[in-house]
Amino acid sequence: MTADFPQVVRYARTIGDADAGVAALRVADSATRIDAFVDGAPVGTLTPLRPVLWLGPLAPGQRLELAVLRTWGEPVGTPELLTGEALTHWEVSSYETPEVLRGRDHAVLQAAELPLKVPPGTGRWVRVDPGPPPPDRDLVVRVRGRGLLITGFAGDRALGRLWTQPPPGSALKGAAATCCWSRAGCSRPPAPARGGHRRRHVRPRGHPARRPHRLPGGSPAVSRFTIGERDFLLDGDPVRVLAGALHYFRVHPDQWTDRIRKAKAMGLNTIETYVAWNAHAPSPGEFSLTGQLDLGRFLDLVAEEGMHAIVRPGPYICAEWDGGGFPAWLFQDAATGVRRSEPAYLAAVEDYLRQLAPVLVPRQVDNGGPIVLVQVENEYGAYGDDSAYLSSLVKVYRDIGLTVPYVTVDQPDDAMLPAGGLPDVLKTGSFGGRVAERLAALRRHQPTGPLMCMEFWCGWFDHWGERHHTRSAAEAAADLDALLSAGASVNIYMFHGGTNFGFTSGANDHGIYKPTATSYDYDAPLDEAGNPTEKYHAFRAVLARHGAQTGPVPDGAAPFPTLTVPFGRELPLWDAVEGLPPALVTDHPPTMDAAGQSQGFAVYRCRVPDRAATALLTLGEVRDRAQFFLDGEPVGVLSRDHGETALALPAGRRVSWPCWSRTRAG
């Protein structure tokens, strides 16, 4: 069955004599969520990243039901009931002293909510008797590094064995720390250890590859992230979000892992990123998810480090990014109204979000992925107050299968917060100081729910022609400390700014046009080159005081070598122009967007009447910078940031001007 929107299909089976006993349910090759019920009572959920579910003892006559969420025609796979014997105990050995998450001299094995302390050393076996009821067969091992070998027994018979990583020099191959012990043994074959070949997850055609979000050394962490009266809740327990902004499209993909690990070492537990619509969809009908735009891989790397993720898909992101993330083709029809309830705009936004759905939906925390929050729009209260538009975005989010909590963000202002929010969506703030005042404003407009600064401005961006903006590390650390002392969650904007590659930087225009520089260093804790700064160490100390788990201080990058490169050849502009495709001939200069080019340079040419005297050339506006040539010789520059619109032309015949656009040039 194929569906364009989610629907629930139910399957049922009555347990017979042959099925009775201790059982687990496996659905291989599924690409959707499946909820299981026994005699009408919920017993758990299967996801693409958690295909095995422990059911416990089943008796003849009991009724097993499956509720399957179907979206985009995804395959469900074939349900398989595995029956076997209950484990009576486990035996656990640590063959190398592990570096652990909890405690300094033991690992913690969570089995049927029974914590087990495993002493370090080689060959030290510890027996665990979980007792009735039989424990969940998904064993979550919270361990870093090499360490645990686990054997399950029924009486004196070993039913299965698994390990987190093999001991040094061992012939053992590492297996994922999850197993259902049945008559047939483990329900899935062991996978090689880190560094070898990983188990491949079968995926539907057209869906991006994905890897499970695992706790360090453990099973896929299928969890429930919710909003409580005063806190965020992870599986019912209060948790504080300590996030840092890291935009995948501003960092080279080979450096993603390095930047994520440095965020974790500073004490962060979450990575936040915008999604740049125009980068993925530069033209209608095109949507790229490869290379630097491989959002799925970026989120998988976040998950591999045991961190959560916040995704902010806009559709408008601001972010000092070209067009605020809007594709230039969105404006080809002058009737299209952005950031409001306008049909053509909403249709384009829905198409964009549906393109993202196969990346985001399976990577939500309740599907075993890292995503815990998704943002609706971006600081909308500073732009408009169309609540119907915001509600339309929420509806699309729900329709495509986004089930984690939603948030909005606005500056904590009595006008902006209500204009940019919705009653049933958590409001968060964007600010860099005056912490008590800002949090008080948030609480006035939202009496319950966790307090969060979604953009804690630890620095600022730069415009061309201005000095590099900096903010004192001590001052920023003091404000971060005040924020955490108030019990709030935080997203440090930016943790690492990166670079506006090519022509992707945006601009600000509050009466004076100011184009953003190529560097997006932002005076962040990690500088543009990826090196820890004074602010990194100051923030790390603050986070540690508030209970964050920090890692070893990372080293700075080695200095780049100094090279001498001779330039022996040149390509004059006019030789390059002659090799371009045929020009568009019009009576009036079109905008670059109208000519089908949204970034880069365009060359405009015209012939002027013969004359012996100087003439004055005037234009309504240049967006953003134009160099003028007369008969191939440079005669001047007009730029938007200087408000220049007129140029004196000496006597000559042919005028050309290459125009550089950051926005919509004319």
Side-chain angles (χ1 to χ4, degrees):
M1 179 179 67
T2 301
D4 293 327
F5 50 88
Q7 25 180 334
V8 176
V9 181
R10 291 189 174 272
Y11 300 86
R13 172 177 177 177
T14 300
I15 302 301
D17 292 337
D19 299 326
V22 178
L25 181 68
R26 178 176 63 182
V27 182
D29 301 343
S30 175
T32 187
R33 174 190 175 110
I34 301 174
D35 294 298
F37 303 82
V38 174
D39 288 342
V43 292
T45 300
L46 298 102
T47 71
L49 304 181
R50 191 176 191 249
V52 178
L53 174 67
W54 165 247
L55 297 177
L58 294 178
Q62 287 189 299
R63 188 170 180 81
L64 174 64
E65 295 178 283
L66 306 180
V68 181
L69 178 68
R70 297 296 304 270
T71 313
W72 317 300
E74 292 176 326
V76 172
T78 303
E80 182 181 4
L81 196 63
L82 304 173
T83 56
E85 300 175 68
L87 295 181
T88 58
H89 65 279
W90 292 289
E91 289 188 354
V92 183
S93 172
S94 64
Y95 36 74
E96 183 178 328
T97 303
E99 177 189 351
V100 298
L101 292 177
R102 237 182 298 176
R104 295 185 179 274
D105 58 354
H106 62 273
V108 177
L109 170 65
Q110 193 73 25
E113 301 181 356
L114 175 68
L116 164 69
K117 294 186 178 182
V118 182
T122 302
R124 294 286 301 275
W125 291 88
V126 176
R127 175 175 169 135
V128 185
D129 296 300
D136 190 329
R137 291 324 188 256
D138 281 338
L139 308 180
V140 180
V141 183
R142 304 177 186 272
V143 178
R144 283 183 182 175
R146 304 175 186 274
L148 294 183
L149 177 65
I150 307 166
T151 306
F153 288 83
D156 294 329
R157 290 189 305 109
L159 296 182
R161 175 175 291 182
L162 63 157
W163 42 88
T164 57
Q165 292 192 37
S170 170
L172 294 174
K173 300 298 181 183
T178 180
C179 184
C180 169
W181 280 283
S182 69
R183 295 188 181 102
C186 283
S187 59
R188 286 178 286 174
R194 184 180 295 271
H197 295 289
R198 294 181 178 274
R199 178 173 62 251
R200 293 185 177 272
H201 291 263
V202 179
R203 57 188 174 92
R205 182 176 300 174
H207 282 225
R210 55 182 177 255
R211 281 171 286 186
H213 172 213
R214 294 185 180 278
L215 293 171
S219 349
V222 180
S223 299
R224 180 171 171 78
F225 191 87
T226 55
I227 294 172
E229 285 293 311
R230 281 288 186 271
D231 301 286
F232 292 110
L233 303 175
L234 182 64
D235 294 327
D237 296 325
V239 63
R240 186 179 349 218
V241 175
L242 301 174
L246 176 64
H247 300 158
Y248 61 97
F249 46 85
R250 281 178 160 136
V251 180
H252 191 283
D254 291 349
Q255 297 172 330
W256 287 346
T257 297
D258 172 79
R259 306 309 193 247
I260 294 166
R261 287 177 177 171
K262 287 173 178 174
K264 185 174 182 178
M266 195 177 81
L268 302 180
N269 57 25
T270 304
I271 295 293
E272 174 271 312
T273 185
Y274 279 125
V275 180
W277 181 6
N278 55 359
H280 292 277
S283 60
E286 180 182 357
F287 203 85
S288 175
L289 288 165
T290 61
Q292 194 163 3
L293 300 175
D294 192 346
L295 175 58
R297 176 174 173 264
F298 177 79
L299 292 171
D300 291 342
L301 293 175
V302 172
E304 285 185 3
E305 297 305 318
M307 301 181 75
H308 287 134
I310 300 170
V311 177
R312 303 203 284 170
Y316 177 79
I317 63 171
C318 182
E320 296 72 56
W321 184 257
D322 181 30
F326 282 148
W329 50 262
L330 194 62
F331 300 90
Q332 289 179 348
D333 184 350
T336 301
V338 298
R339 302 186 80 183
R340 60 185 175 89
S341 300
E342 193 278 317
Y345 168 68
L346 290 178
V349 169
E350 181 171 354
D351 181 69
Y352 155 60
L353 293 172
R354 288 191 180 278
Q355 296 274 9
L356 283 180
V359 178
L360 302 183
V361 171
R363 290 179 172 86
Q364 297 177 104
V365 70
D366 48 6
N367 284 334
I371 300 173
V372 293
L373 293 171
V374 177
Q375 184 175 294
V376 180
E377 245 279 351
N378 190 69
E379 294 185 314
Y380 184 68
Y383 177 85
D385 58 0
D386 186 349
S387 60
Y389 161 57
L390 297 178
S391 296
S392 296
L393 293 181
V394 169
K395 182 179 184 303
V396 176
Y397 280 15
R398 287 175 177 153
D399 287 348
I400 65 175
L402 293 176
T403 54
V404 295
Y406 309 150
V407 297
T408 58
V409 62
D410 284 288
Q411 296 179 42
D413 174 270
D414 288 334
M416 294 183 190
L417 280 171
L422 290 171
D424 55 347
V425 175
L426 182 72
K427 296 176 177 67
T428 67
S430 55
F431 53 91
R434 296 157 57 189
V435 172
E437 175 187 340
R438 302 303 193 186
L439 293 180
L442 265 176
R443 189 53 82 200
R444 280 199 308 274
H445 291 271
Q446 189 166 256
T448 63
L451 292 169
M452 181 171 186
C453 178
M454 183 57 77
E455 291 187 16
F456 175 69
W457 301 325
C458 63
W460 206 245
F461 52 89
D462 295 328
H463 294 126
W464 286 111
E466 296 179 349
R467 293 181 180 273
H468 174 50
H469 287 82
T470 60
R471 184 184 182 192
S472 157
E475 175 191 281
D479 281 331
L480 177 62
D481 183 69
L483 188 62
L484 299 181
S485 296
S489 289
V490 66
N491 175 41
I492 296 170
Y493 191 98
M494 300 284 299
F495 164 72
H496 171 58
T499 304
N500 296 315
F501 298 106
F503 296 94
T504 58
S505 56
N508 293 86
D509 192 345
H510 299 288
I512 300 176
Y513 176 74
K514 294 183 177 183
T516 304
T518 300
S519 170
Y520 201 65
D521 178 86
Y522 213 87
D523 194 33
L526 216 60
D527 69 15
E528 186 178 11
N531 296 314
T533 65
E534 179 188 358
K535 193 170 292 180
Y536 181 97
H537 298 288
F539 281 14
R540 183 174 177 271
V542 170
L543 290 164
R545 286 200 303 272
H546 287 274
Q549 182 183 335
T550 58
V553 177
D555 297 327
F560 288 102
T562 301
L563 302 176
T564 301
V565 181
F567 290 89
R569 293 187 296 172
E570 63 180 24
L571 177 64
L573 171 64
W574 308 115
D575 291 350
V577 168
E578 297 305 326
L580 295 176
L584 175 67
V585 180
T586 64
D587 293 333
H588 301 282
T591 65
M592 286 175 61
D593 287 356
Q597 182 174 338
S598 61
Q599 288 186 340
F601 289 90
V603 176
Y604 294 78
R605 280 176 156 181
C606 68
R607 290 192 178 275
V608 297
D610 291 340
R611 67 199 186 287
T614 299
L616 187 66
L617 174 68
T618 61
L619 292 87
E621 185 182 23
V622 171
R623 295 192 179 186
D624 299 315
R625 178 181 173 86
Q627 299 170 268
F628 287 82
F629 299 81
L630 187 64
D631 291 335
E633 296 298 322
V635 293
V637 175
L638 297 181
S639 61
R640 183 180 177 187
D641 54 334
H642 291 168
E644 299 163 330
T645 59
L647 183 73
L649 298 180
R653 297 182 57 85
R654 187 172 188 178
V655 178
S656 299
W657 64 93
C659 185
W660 173 30
S661 171
R662 287 180 179 277
T663 53
R664 284 159 288 287

